[in-house]
Amino acid sequence: MKPAFSRLRYRTTCMMLTAMVLAACGGDDDATAPVAPASVDAAQACSALAGKTLAGATVTAASTVAASAAAPLYCKVTATIAPQLHLELRLPQQWNGKLYYEGGGGYDGSIPDLAGGNLSALKLGYATVNSDSGHTDNGLSAAFALNDTLAANLFGSLAVPTVMSSAKEMVFAAYGKEPEKSYFEGCSEGGREALMAAQRNPNLFDGIIARAPGYNWVGFMGHWNRNEKAVAAPGGQINTAKLGLLARAVRDACDAKDGIVDGIVSNPQACTFDPAVLRCAGGADAGDTCLSDAQLAVVNSRTSSASFANGAYTSSALALNGNEDDAAAGWGAWVTGNGDVRSALHYLFQDTTVKNYLARNPAQDSLTYAYESNLASLFSMAALNDATNPDLRPFKSSNAKLILWHGGSDPSISPKASSDYYQAVTKAVGGQAATDEFVRYYIAPGVGHCEGGPGADQSDLLTALDTWVAKGTAPGTLSATKVANGATQASRPLCRFPQYPRYTGPANDTAAAALAANYTCTAP
Ligand SMILES: [Ca+2]
């Protein structure tokens, strides 16, 4: 349990009371603990919070949401922490005594819907909380950072601890007891928030799940700036047919190295494919059966690391994985914009970053901006947003646990970036044994950015984390499933890094290939 703020507050209140009523405060720790009601239903939780201001959060609405096929009965609370930080707290009728905080995505700017991680947590009985991280906009806009220093600081690192202060107080007011455990989970930007909390607020959560974390903001944005300039260069655009050519060539070379040809390169460390074999004769574009030098320059920009400010900021290489042509995990949406570079997600993210953090000029064209032209702006953005500190000893000392997860075919953030961070943590905390005491790292082969792709993208990491934190049972090999239309299509073991799931079942057996039992976590 984290510092018992409610007891401290209760004692403080008692100290302020006169001797006349002091007896009611009791004389030892147990007696000072507030007594939880036998049960609190969702309507009571709502009425306890309606109209209140708690730890700076003013409740703007509190109403029950009836149980449905999608979600159980809960009290939905919206609140504002003045002047601009908005949060939503969901208090289930059947509370498990714990709090779950889910991070945002992109540049945040809105409260995430009840879906994905927070819906799963609510179904498990967790009280859940989300925020907009302190500004209102679409997730592809960093306009808030241009002139709103508070918004920039809230987005960078302050929203999570600020929201947590209020959320814990609200949970106490609603249920009569503070959360027994508090967990954070986030992917991409939410994964950055997760690692930021582990680094800067090591006592805030009992456990953290960081998935595909965008922890390296300056490095990643600079890498994307470089990549998108290559796509925008004359002849740099890679069409769908050429992406198919590239992906097939990678699969032909590497798919089988995990024991099964299933469209997933599960053993990337055995993959030594060189895209230069696809070069058009002479280097000029000669149609869809080869890649020109301009197109290979895009491939090489992504598959090589990037470094800025004399190595102060770096970004890991993003290896080819054979899913470059996948609808969800491929390059179309993220890199090429399917023929329109200025609609590619990486173009859009780096462009709003250049405009609002670096050039500080909304009219700046990011494709003509030299990324290192203003080092002070890089330093400033890093101080706000980078969660690159590998020294998690304070987090470890608080007895908290961290689960790292990354999709093996992530087209946005390289799984190698998470591997590099994990290895830096291992070094910083004193080696593998010390790391194993509080970190688990998993790569899910064939999975795209946070989800999607041909791989098994669904795993119950929250229960694995809770079992570790609450019962002391550290997670080993976990399970992952691929779900389509509500039905499980395939299962795989989710192996601890650096292991991968190697197929050990019968050959040419589609049913066997869909079952996790026919795979063995194997060292590369
Ligand atoms: Ca394979």
Side-chain angles (χ1 to χ4, degrees), residues 64-214:
T64 56
V65 177
S68 67
L73 170 63
Y74 69 100
C75 167
K76 175 180 173 179
V77 184
T78 55
T80 300
I81 301 173
Q84 63 200 64
L85 178 53
H86 303 103
L87 66 91
E88 183 166 318
L89 182 67
R90 303 175 183 99
L91 302 166
Q93 170 114 343
Q94 300 295 325
W95 185 42
N96 70 2
K98 300 164 195 169
L99 178 62
Y100 171 90
Y101 188 152
E102 187 183 44
Y107 269 111
D108 298 333
S110 62
I111 292 173
D113 294 334
L114 180 59
N118 64 54
L119 176 58
S120 298
L122 188 70
K123 287 178 174 175
L124 290 169
Y126 288 85
T128 74
V129 64
N130 300 90
S131 93
D132 64 2
S133 90
H135 66 275
T136 303
D137 206 340
N138 75 72
L140 291 170
S141 172
F144 67 90
L146 186 60
N147 295 310
D148 188 340
T149 303
L150 176 60
N153 277 283
L154 286 168
F155 173 82
S157 62
L158 298 184
V160 170
T162 305
V163 166
M164 270 301 281
S165 296
S166 297
K168 280 188 168 183
E169 193 105 356
M170 293 162 85
V171 166
F172 179 84
Y175 292 116
K177 56 180 287 198
E178 66 186 84
E180 293 164 14
K181 303 292 179 193
S182 297
Y183 303 129
F184 187 96
E185 178 174 16
C187 193
S188 193
E189 146 60 6
R192 184 195 69 87
E193 292 180 295
L195 291 183
M196 185 69 91
Q199 292 164 23
R200 295 200 194 176
N201 307 103
N203 299 303
L204 197 56
F205 295 99
D206 299 282
I208 288 177
I209 300 166
R211 299 193 297 118

Side-chain angles (χ1 to χ4, degrees), residues 253-278:
C254 304
D255 189 342
K257 292 181 182 295
D258 51 25
I260 186 169
V261 176
D262 59 351
I264 301 171
V265 176
S266 297
N267 183 12
Q269 296 193 53
C271 184
T272 54
F273 174 76
D274 182 354
V277 302
L278 298 175

